[in-house]
Amino acid sequence: MRLKTIRPMILFLFLWLVAGGAGAQFLQYTPPGGPDQESEDRREELERQIEAARYHLGPLRITPWASISDLAYVRNFFENGAESPDDVTASVGAGFRAYLRNGSKAAWSLQVLPEYTWWARQEERRQLNGTYLLGFHGFFNRLTLEVIAGREQELKIVTPDVPTPVSSRSDGGQIQAELQLTGAFSAFTTFSVEQQDNLVEDLTDPRFQELGRLDREERVLRAGLRWRPRQEWTLGLGAEISEVDFDRVRGLADRSNEGTAPIAEVRFRGNRLEAGFDLADRSLEARRGAFFVPYDRITGSAQVAVKGGRRSSTGVYASRTLAYTISPLYSYLQDERLGVFVGIGAGRRASLRVFAEGGANDYFTFSPLTPPRQEDVTSYGGSLTFPLGRFLSFQLNGVRSRFDSNLPGGDRTYTSLGTTIALGGLL
């Protein structure tokens, strides 16, 4: 494999010197392009959303929402001869976000955002998706408490084995709490439960039907201490406990697993420099009666960015994550990335972001008799975003990924060019 020895060494060094990470989601496919830009302080963000709400009904604030999203041309090619048809897809939705203050230090939020996903040629892939979330947000004197629960059902890629978007549903909730102990120290905890279901039962393509093997329930608990010596710095240490239960599938090994991990996080946000990492030294093993290949390595993601004038920024990012595979011969794959991005302010309000990244997928086999499987992965793409008014935003985006496998017939590509128009919310 190209750069088989050098690339992991560079990635490992970068994870330790600059970054690493254990993202908020556990064992998921990571879209190319690097981590999203971190949001502002959660309380400030919620206040901004409430103040920007268009309609006021007493204490109730309502923001209508409408969107034509993921209007895209999608093309897949699998070297083994099974080529998915080129197609055009779009998701059209209309709904609302609502906010209700509960005193001066707490508020409730509700998102009702149904959307219909349409495919031009593949009628069986048309689906009613949407986001339905209820949340409580409390920002008290020393305690910050947020509880969010509901359903998120959207079109997305769920595994690099089949790099094409399908409708996937996530039911669950999350509790986040942080207690201020002193001026600089605080204790935090996060608990999340998620049931992941891929809605592929009625699809005719056998590759899509195999995605049902990834249906599972995940539970993750994190707890630790944070230290904020200055406004720009946040440092944290803690521990994580995770449990994953797969739906039983006849003839397929049960990959249910559990594990623990010490975690570390660092955030720095200066006037010109932003950097951060979130490390987890994972130790995963099979749950009782399951068949899972043990994993004992560091996972994580990181980003370092230098900001310039006119909303411009340049940065690098790295990640090591895990993703489940649909193949019955492999337990999971380790996904490693190194990438660069450039963001440029275009005009008064528009922004352009482009990226390029390279990496590798290493598959962990159940049996030493199974042929080793590795893939070189390259991706590039970008997005152009600009507001058309206070409540209307427009975005053009494109991405192309190529997977070069060491096994015959394993090469594949994914290409998507699309646009999104959203009313009543930022893209």
Side-chain angles (χ1 to χ4, degrees):
M1 303 295 288
R2 295 190 299 271
L3 301 178
K4 182 176 180 181
T5 303
I6 298 176
R7 183 167 49 210
M9 293 175 61
I10 297 175
L11 175 68
F12 184 79
L13 181 62
F14 187 76
L15 287 172
W16 271 108
L17 293 180
V18 187
Q25 299 271 322
F26 181 64
L27 295 176
Q28 298 288 330
Y29 169 77
T30 305
D36 294 332
Q37 183 178 1
E38 289 189 23
S39 63
E40 59 210 271
D41 178 86
R42 282 292 301 126
R43 184 170 189 173
E44 294 179 0
E45 181 182 6
L46 182 65
E47 290 293 338
R48 178 182 60 83
Q49 293 172 352
I50 294 176
E51 293 302 321
R54 190 168 186 178
Y55 298 106
H56 296 186
L57 301 176
L60 185 65
R61 303 290 189 265
I62 299 176
T63 298
W65 170 84
S67 173
I68 302 175
S69 62
D70 301 323
L71 175 57
Y73 165 80
V74 177
R75 183 181 183 185
N76 289 90
F77 178 76
F78 298 82
E79 193 182 70
N80 59 13
E83 183 175 1
S84 296
D86 297 354
D87 211 339
V88 175
T89 182
S91 295
V92 180
F96 66 91
R97 297 181 176 93
Y99 308 92
L100 178 65
R101 293 189 182 275
N102 187 15
S104 61
K105 299 181 180 180
W108 294 85
S109 65
L110 175 66
Q111 298 186 54
V112 180
L113 312 175
E115 61 180 3
Y116 180 73
T117 297
W118 170 82
W119 292 84
R121 301 178 61 183
Q122 303 170 81
E123 296 183 5
E124 72 277 6
R125 299 183 66 184
R126 298 173 183 174
Q127 178 74 41
L128 181 62
N129 294 324
T131 298
Y132 310 91
L133 297 176
L134 176 64
F136 172 79
H137 315 267
F139 303 96
F140 307 106
N141 292 339
R142 289 184 172 271
L143 175 66
T144 297
L145 175 65
E146 292 192 278
V147 182
I148 301 175
R151 167 173 292 183
E152 294 182 272
Q153 186 171 308
E154 60 183 336
L155 194 69
K156 65 179 182 179
I157 297 174
V158 297
T159 174
D161 285 342
V162 184
T164 191
V166 298
S167 292
S168 181
R169 182 172 62 215
S170 172
D171 294 312
Q174 184 178 78
I175 301 174
Q176 299 184 70
E178 185 165 357
L179 178 64
Q180 199 75 26
L181 302 177
T182 66
F185 285 93
S186 62
F188 70 89
T189 184
T190 301
F191 176 67
S192 64
V193 178
E194 178 184 4
Q195 175 66 45
Q196 182 79 33
D197 294 298
N198 299 304
L199 310 179
V200 295
E201 292 83 359
D202 298 329
L203 303 185
T204 56
D205 191 318
R207 288 189 303 271
F208 294 154
Q209 294 176 358
E210 291 174 348
L211 294 176
R213 299 173 179 176
L214 305 180
D215 294 351
R216 61 194 183 273
E217 180 181 304
E218 301 181 357
R219 297 172 296 279
V220 180
L221 173 64
R222 276 189 164 197
L225 295 174
R226 287 194 177 104
W227 179 43
R228 295 183 176 90
R230 297 173 55 186
Q231 183 178 0
E232 300 90 347
W233 285 96
T234 300
L235 300 92
L237 290 174
E240 177 184 283
I241 301 173
S242 63
E243 295 179 347
V244 181
D245 288 319
F246 272 81
D247 293 352
R248 297 297 179 94
V249 178
R250 184 182 299 274
L252 188 68
D254 180 6
R255 289 173 287 177
S256 300
N257 61 86
E258 59 188 8
T260 58
I263 58 176
E265 62 178 33
V266 173
R267 298 283 184 272
F268 174 79
R269 176 168 291 182
N271 294 330
R272 297 292 302 275
L273 177 67
E274 292 186 3
F277 74 82
D278 188 358
L279 287 170
D281 187 7
R282 299 200 180 280
S283 179
L284 302 174
E285 60 184 16
R287 304 201 72 190
R288 179 176 297 180
F291 193 41
F292 179 84
V293 178
Y295 183 86
D296 292 283
R297 298 188 186 184
I298 294 174
T299 63
S301 65
Q303 179 172 289
V304 176
V306 179
K307 295 180 290 185
R310 294 184 63 84
R311 305 183 308 280
S312 65
S313 63
T314 303
V316 295
Y317 58 89
S319 68
R320 175 189 287 164
T321 59
L322 298 175
Y324 293 112
T325 173
I326 61 175
S327 172
L329 301 178
Y330 304 92
S331 184
Y332 50 83
L333 63 92
Q334 178 179 269
D335 181 341
E336 296 182 339
R337 313 274 185 92
L338 283 172
V340 297
F341 70 89
V342 177
I344 304 173
R348 289 186 175 182
R349 307 177 70 184
S351 60
L352 172 68
R353 188 180 189 274
V354 295
F355 70 89
E357 65 180 38
N361 290 339
D362 293 316
Y363 289 72
F364 285 64
T365 65
F366 285 112
S367 168
L369 301 179
T370 303
R373 180 180 175 183
Q374 299 90 28
E375 296 170 347
D376 287 329
V377 184
T378 55
S379 299
Y380 58 88
S383 63
L384 174 64
T385 304
F386 49 93
L388 299 177
R390 183 180 179 185
F391 298 102
L392 188 64
S393 299
F394 179 78
Q395 184 181 82
L396 295 171
N397 53 73
V399 63
R400 178 175 173 82
S401 297
R402 179 173 179 83
F403 302 80
D404 295 316
S405 177
N406 68 319
L407 298 181
D411 293 353
R412 56 201 184 278
T413 63
Y414 170 74
T415 305
S416 177
L417 299 171
T419 184
T420 294
I421 302 174
L423 171 67
L426 297 178
L427 291 167

